[in-house]
Amino acid sequence: FFAASPDELIQISFVGPFNIEEDDHCKFDQLEVHDGRYGFSPLLARLCGTVLPDPITSSTNVLWVGFFTDADIEENGFSARYRYIENPHYSLNTSLPIVGTMNNDVSVGPEDCFFKLDDQFDGEINSSVLRKAIMDQGRYPAKKVDCTWEINVPVNYKILFEFHGFSLSFVNECDYNRLIVYDRYALDTRQLSEFCSTTAPSVMTKTNRGYVRFVSTKEVDRNDWELIYTAYRDKPCNTTLSFECGQHICIDHALRCNGRPNCWNYASDEDNCQATPPLLKGKIDASLGVVMTLILLTTFLTIILSCRHSWIRTKHKAREARQRRTVERGAVQYLMGTGEVSGDCSSDIKTINPESFQRYKYSEVGTAGGGCCVGGNGKNSHGNYLKPPEQRAGTSPRSNRNSDGGESSPGTANEYLEQIMDRRSSGTGPGIFTREMESGQPVPSKHSKRTWNMFV
């Protein structure tokens, strides 16, 4: 066919001799000219014989021309020229080819509703896609529809049409609704099948081009059908390019497990597959992306919260350990330098309170006052203070003598501290740290700084 700009028409003029096998109805050899895109468009002329025809002009910007002959008689044929001329009736305000009235009786004609699918091994055509296309053009709802699909598959292939759903508004009323399949040309003489009943069997073309035409004149929205087309070869199969699919055809390897049943009558190309149907693949991919994003986000937040919890717990334990060391070191320094504790050593330790740390200072050698003994029996020995052995007056580093001249059990502040720790850990005494924690009174920070390194 010929196609000009929207504001142009097409004119054909015949020149030279014109000689096509003559017949009253031109049924052997003929030249046909149709006013439109297809061979089923309105017929302008069917020509044969020896009379030179007059020029032929289209009413739109497309014109279809076909020449058909048989193999019996040959003539000289014809010669013609075509040109594009200005459409005197064209206007920008009326360029939208919608036919209808104010009562929304909108019609979508064959020249306005055309789809072309090229060089694909398979594909899908259905009424839902048609309704969407009409809606996108601003013609929905349409009362009348005449739409055509042109399908071209690679050279040396043929086309298999299989219906996977077929329901029309008016059953067996072909004037109201019908679906037509053509081979090679959208021409009445090339029509393969016309369906207007409740079922639609499979159809095979003999060439690599086919046309599907859907016509509905009433209740367009109530038509529901789905058609899958597949490029196939006849047997024997070329195993490099295709594989055997059923009893009669071979299809391309790319169609295996593609989510569509391409084999004739049997979906053997989809056996043992987990392929996602193409129409759902985009939605599933989007949903999977959202789910994976949520999973990653949840995992990230869980790791952050877990790390924060571990950090807080570690920080809390470190603070408790610092407080415990501060209290214990302060207690040791107090025991070494003050003379306020008297009586049984184990009971004296229980009476120490934070105020005692504020009064801390080293007692000078020889200062009078009671102290905690270092004897093995735990009783007070007058005149001896709990200080490092080298600072005790009149004693050796490893022995103490009481005021009565008797020997007390050997010991040092370190050994006594070990006794305190052993008693605290064994549960016989709460200890200074336990008492301070139970009372909720923290150790003054300035005290801990003063006494940290005094006892070595």
Side-chain angles (χ1 to χ4, degrees):
F1 69 94
F2 302 91
S5 301
D7 59 343
E8 295 176 327
L9 302 178
I10 304 170
Q11 186 179 77
I12 295 180
S13 300
F14 295 91
V15 296
F18 186 90
N19 191 354
I20 299 176
E21 183 179 357
E22 189 170 358
D23 181 79
D24 292 340
H25 301 287
C26 299
K27 62 181 179 181
F28 301 114
D29 296 345
Q30 70 270 353
L31 176 67
E32 291 189 2
V33 181
H34 293 261
D35 191 15
R37 189 184 297 270
Y38 315 101
F40 56 76
S41 297
L43 181 66
L44 293 178
R46 179 178 286 117
L47 306 172
C48 63
T50 59
V51 178
L52 188 67
D54 295 329
I56 300 174
T57 304
S58 67
S59 63
T60 65
N61 66 321
V62 287
L63 187 70
W64 191 91
V65 179
F67 179 60
F68 307 94
T69 67
D70 58 20
D72 293 336
I73 299 175
E74 291 186 6
E75 299 292 351
N76 293 330
F78 69 96
S79 177
R81 295 175 180 175
Y82 71 92
R83 64 179 183 141
Y84 301 145
I85 62 176
E86 182 181 356
N87 184 354
H89 304 291
Y90 178 80
S91 172
L92 292 176
N93 296 329
T94 60
S95 60
L96 188 61
I98 299 178
V99 181
T101 61
M102 295 301 294
N103 62 356
N104 205 27
D105 187 16
V106 178
S107 298
V108 180
E111 312 306 329
D112 311 325
C113 189
F114 174 72
F115 306 89
K116 189 175 182 180
L117 306 172
D118 289 333
D119 298 326
Q120 297 180 353
F121 285 108
D122 77 329
E124 184 174 350
I125 305 171
N126 57 60
S127 54
S128 299
V129 174
L130 174 60
R131 281 192 291 269
K132 184 179 184 303
I134 295 174
M135 186 179 299
D136 291 342
Q137 294 180 7
R139 308 182 184 188
Y140 187 85
K143 298 296 183 181
K144 299 179 182 180
V145 168
D146 191 342
C147 296
T148 304
W149 288 261
E150 178 184 329
I151 298 98
N152 294 283
V153 299
V155 181
N156 297 326
Y157 281 86
K158 302 175 183 180
I159 306 174
L160 167 66
F161 294 102
E162 282 198 295
F163 290 88
H164 292 267
F166 190 80
S167 176
L168 300 181
S169 301
F170 298 92
V171 178
N172 296 325
E173 297 286 346
C174 293
D175 291 338
Y176 292 149
N177 44 212
R178 62 189 182 276
L179 192 146
I180 310 168
V181 180
Y182 302 92
D183 185 11
R184 188 60 179 176
Y185 302 107
L187 188 67
D188 291 341
T189 56
R190 293 298 186 98
Q191 178 178 311
L192 294 178
S193 298
E194 180 180 85
F195 304 108
C196 58
S197 184
T198 57
T199 60
S202 301
V203 180
M204 291 180 170
T205 68
K206 296 180 180 180
T207 65
N208 68 324
R209 180 191 297 166
Y211 289 86
V212 176
R213 180 188 180 191
F214 175 69
V215 180
S216 179
T217 58
K218 286 186 177 181
E219 300 182 12
V220 177
D221 289 343
R222 291 180 56 189
N223 296 288
D224 190 11
W225 51 271
E226 179 182 356
L227 174 66
I228 293 179
Y229 68 88
T230 302
Y232 77 94
R233 293 174 181 263
D234 294 322
K235 287 187 177 180
C237 300
N238 182 345
T239 56
T240 303
L241 301 175
S242 58
F243 66 96
E244 184 176 321
C245 195
Q247 300 178 354
H248 303 283
I249 67 174
C250 309
I251 66 174
D252 195 89
H253 285 295
L255 303 182
R256 188 187 296 274
C257 297
N258 69 339
R260 292 192 183 102
N262 298 109
C263 290
W264 187 26
N265 294 333
Y266 301 96
S268 59
D269 59 313
E270 300 301 314
D271 291 346
N272 302 319
C273 298
Q274 297 180 352
T276 302
L279 295 180
L280 298 178
K281 189 174 182 180
K283 297 180 180 179
I284 292 177
D285 288 344
S287 300
L288 182 60
V290 173
V291 172
M292 292 301 297
T293 302
L294 292 176
I295 292 176
L296 291 176
L297 182 60
T298 303
T299 303
F300 178 75
L301 292 177
T302 302
I303 293 174
I304 293 297
L305 294 176
S306 178
C307 292
R308 182 177 182 275
H309 177 72
S310 299
W311 176 76
I312 293 176
R313 185 172 55 184
T314 302
K315 183 178 179 181
H316 179 70
K317 289 184 176 180
R319 184 171 61 249
E320 289 181 350
R322 287 195 300 270
Q323 292 177 351
R324 183 171 60 252
R325 289 193 299 269
T326 300
V327 172
E328 291 175 351
R329 287 176 180 260
V332 170
Q333 300 299 336
Y334 175 80
L335 292 174
M336 292 177 60
T338 186
E340 296 181 4
V341 181
S342 60
D344 182 74
C345 294
S346 61
S347 61
D348 291 341
I349 298 300
K350 299 178 184 179
T351 62
I352 298 175
N353 53 55
E355 287 76 8
S356 300
F357 293 102
Q358 299 292 341
R359 298 190 297 271
Y360 164 76
K361 69 176 181 177
Y362 268 111
S363 298
E364 297 179 359
V365 178
T367 301
C372 185
C373 68
V374 294
N377 58 6
K379 298 295 183 179
N380 184 24
S381 298
H382 302 290
N384 287 313
Y385 306 99
L386 185 56
K387 292 190 285 289
E390 61 272 11
Q391 298 182 12
R392 296 184 193 144
T395 62
S396 65
R398 295 295 297 169
S399 64
N400 296 319
R401 183 175 298 275
N402 56 29
S403 57
D404 299 330
E407 291 288 340
S408 63
S409 301
T412 66
N414 283 331
E415 293 171 344
Y416 186 64
L417 178 60
E418 290 177 2
Q419 296 178 21
I420 296 174
M421 293 302 182
D422 291 341
R423 296 192 62 181
R424 188 188 67 177
S425 61
S426 63
T428 57
I432 299 173
F433 177 70
T434 304
R435 180 178 179 82
E436 295 299 329
M437 292 300 291
E438 290 176 352
S439 64
Q441 298 178 358
V443 177
S445 58
K446 64 179 182 179
H447 171 72
S448 60
K449 292 181 180 179
R450 292 176 56 192
T451 61
W452 186 264
N453 295 318
M454 288 185 179
F455 178 62
V456 179

